[in-house]
Amino acid sequence: MRKNLLALFLTITFILPSAALAQTATKAKSPALQAAQTITADQLSDYLYFVASDEMEGRDTPSRGLDLTAKFMATMLARWGVKPAGDVVKGEKTYFQKMTLRRNGIEPVNTTAEINGQKLVYGTDFIANPSGGAISSLPMVFGGNGWFVKSKNIDPLAGTDVRGKAVVVYSDNLPRGVTYPDLIASGKHGEDWADPATYAKQKGAAALVFIGTPSIINNWERLRRQRERGNLYVENLRDTPGSGNLPTIYLSQKASQALFSGESTDLNKVVEVYTSNAPLTAFNLSPNKTVSMTVAAKPEIATTQNVVAMIEGSDPVLKSEMVAIGAHYDHDGVNPNAPGEDKIWNGADDDGSGTVAVLSIAEALAKSPRKPKRSVLFVWHAGEEKGLWGSEYFAKFPTVDISKVVAQLNIDMIGRSKKEGDTNPANAELTGPNGVYVIGSEMMSSKLGEVTKSINNSYLKLDYNYKYDDPNDKNRFFFRSDHFNYAQKGIPIVFWFSGVHEDYHKPSDHPDKIDYQKMEKITRTIFLTLWEIADLKERPAVDKQLPPELTQR
C-alpha cells in the first residue's frame, strides 16, 4: 500500500508546473530527503580526518598518499555496492582511470653549448630547457622579444628569414603593454598570437637562445633546478614537451654580453630599447658568429588515476543518462624545505572537503532503498592542482559515454566559515556559516539554474552568493576547478565554493579548522539538487552559449 501511494505521489508531481518540479526532492518523507538526512557532520569529519591526515602526505599528483586515498575510496565504494566505472582490466571495470605521467629532465653532464667555437660551462654560462636535440654551427638572428601578437601589431620576425637559424630573444615574459586576457581575447594560440618558442618554430627556426634578462639572472638557480628536474605532463593530453620543440638555452649575463660583443647593436643598446618600450626588431648577427648545442633530456614515467564509479538509475529508459558529480582529491604534497615544523600541505578544505562530500553523497545514495531515475556518475579527479589534469583527461578520454551526462556538479572547498568579528584581510571573501558561492548554474542552462535555486529555497535556504558567477571575475574562479573541462564539452555545470581563506594553499589547511555543520548543510543541499536533476522528465536544456570569455584558460 505504501509503495502504491508513493508511485501515485510521484506520478502527480510530473503533471505539476515546472516550478513545483524543482522541489519534489525536498518533500517531507520523500526518498531523496530521507537519504539526504543520512549525510552528517560526524560522517564528513571521520572521512576528512583520514583523507587530510599526515599519513596521506598532502596527496600530491603523483604520490603514495594520493594512491592510498584512491584505494580508500574504492574500498568504501565497493563495500557500499557502488559500481566501478573506470578502465576495463581483464574484461572487468575498475574504479580507476589510469593516466601515464611523463617528465623530461636535463642531463647536465651531456648538455653542451658553444658560441663562436667557445665552449660554455653548463650551470654557469648557460642552462637549457629539457627539449632534447642538437644543432651545430648555426647562424643567429636577433628576434626582439620573440612574441607575435596580431591584434597589437607585434611581429618582431616580420620580413626576416630565420629558417634553419637560431633565434636570439630578449624577453622576460609578455611584451610590454600586453596581458594574458589580451591574448585570450585576441584569438587562437599559434594563429593570432604565439610565444617566442612557438613563433620561432613556425617561422622555421632550428634553435632558440634567451638572453639573460634581469628576471632570468635573478632566478637562475631556481630555473636551473626546475629544468634539471623537468615538468610532469600527462601523456596524450597535449604535445609531448620536448618532442618537436626547439633546442633552447638561456645565457648568463656574461655569455650574453659576449654574444653581442662587436655588434653594431650591443647588449646595452638592446636593454635600453627594451626598457624604453620601443619595438625590438629582428636583425642578423655577424655571419661569423654561430651557435652549437646539444641538449640531453632524461625521461621518467609515473602513473596516477581518477577514481570513477556509478550508481544506476531506477528508470529503464532514463538510466542511460547520467548526472555527474565530482571533486578533486589531490593537493600540494610535501615540501621538506618549507619554513617551520609543518612540511605537509594536508589540503583539508582544498579539496578534502569536496572529496569527502562526494564520498558521503555516494554512500547516502548507495544505501537508499530508492534511487533517482537517471544514473549518477562519481568522478574524483587527480591533478587539479597541476592544471585540471584529471578532469581534462576524463573529458577527452571518458570511461563512459560522456554525451549522456546531462549536468556536472563540482564541489571544491566547502568547509570553511568566516567567524563573526574576523578582520583578517585573507578571510575577507570567505562566506559565513550559512553561505556558499554558486558559480555557473545559469551560464549554460536556465533549467539547471532554476533547479539549483528552487531546491535550496525549499530546503535549508543557504545564502547562495552569485558574486563570482561573472564571466569577467578577476579571480577567474570559473577556470580554476574541474567543472571547466565539462563545460567545454557542452555539459552544463554548477560549482559550489565557500571562498578562499588564510590557510589557502598553506600547510595550515587542517581538518580541525573545518565547519562540519556547514559542510553537512551544503552537502545535503547538493545531494538533493543532484536527485532533482536526475528525476527531471527532460535533461536540462543547454539554451545559452558559454560566454566567450570562459572558453579558453
Side-chain angles (χ1 to χ4, degrees), residues 500-531:
V500 295
H501 48 75
E502 59 191 323
D503 300 306
Y504 177 62
H505 278 259
K506 293 181 180 179
S508 51
D509 184 5
H510 291 158
D512 61 338
K513 297 182 179 182
I514 297 296
D515 182 345
Y516 291 100
Q517 293 299 325
K518 175 177 180 173
M519 268 190 71
E520 176 188 285
K521 290 188 288 185
I522 296 174
T523 305
R524 287 182 176 185
T525 302
I526 296 171
F527 176 89
L528 292 171
T529 304
L530 178 151
W531 192 301

Side-chain angles (χ1 to χ4, degrees), residues 190-212:
E191 294 181 8
D192 302 293
W193 63 274
D195 57 88
T198 300
Y199 191 43
K201 183 179 178 182
Q202 287 178 340
K203 298 285 281 188
L208 195 61
V209 178
F210 280 90
I211 296 169

Side-chain angles (χ1 to χ4, degrees), residues 295-349:
V295 180
K298 177 178 63 176
E300 297 178 14
I301 299 177
T303 59
T304 190
Q305 62 282 310
N306 293 324
V307 180
V308 191
M310 184 183 294
I311 292 177
E312 195 172 78
S314 59
D315 186 277
V317 175
L318 292 179
K319 71 179 183 180
S320 66
E321 296 182 337
M322 295 162 279
V323 181
I325 184 167
H328 73 90
Y329 72 108
D330 67 308
H331 194 56
D332 288 342
V334 179
N335 181 359
N337 299 316
E341 296 182 3
D342 195 350
K343 312 294 185 182
I344 301 174
W345 270 245
N346 300 91
D349 190 30

Side-chain angles (χ1 to χ4, degrees), residues 155 347 496:
D155 188 355
W496 284 267

Side-chain angles (χ1 to χ4, degrees), residues 455-511:
I455 286 293
N456 181 55
N457 291 338
S458 63
Y459 183 46
L460 294 176
K461 297 179 174 59
L462 292 166
D463 297 327
Y464 272 8
N465 189 323
Y466 293 89
K467 174 179 179 177
Y468 299 127
D469 198 24
D470 178 359
N472 298 307
D473 167 33
K474 293 181 180 179
N475 296 281
R476 293 171 60 81
F477 285 127
F478 188 86
F479 299 91
R480 291 166 58 178
S481 195
D482 292 308
H483 58 275
F484 173 82
N485 285 309
Y486 291 86
Q488 302 312 300
K489 297 288 289 187
I491 299 169
I493 62 92
V494 190
F495 171 31
W496 284 267
F497 163 62
S498 62
V500 295
H501 48 75
E502 59 191 323
D503 300 306
Y504 177 62
H505 278 259
K506 293 181 180 179
S508 51
D509 184 5
H510 291 158

Side-chain angles (χ1 to χ4, degrees), residues 417-425 427 433:
S417 292
K418 185 177 181 179
K419 297 178 180 178
E420 188 175 351
D422 185 347
T423 58
N424 186 339
N427 297 328

Side-chain angles (χ1 to χ4, degrees), residues 244-264:
N245 290 347
L246 300 179
T248 300
I249 61 173
Y250 298 79
L251 299 181
S252 68
Q253 188 174 35
K254 178 182 177 181
S256 299
Q257 289 172 336
L259 173 64
F260 279 88
S261 177
E263 297 291 334
S264 58

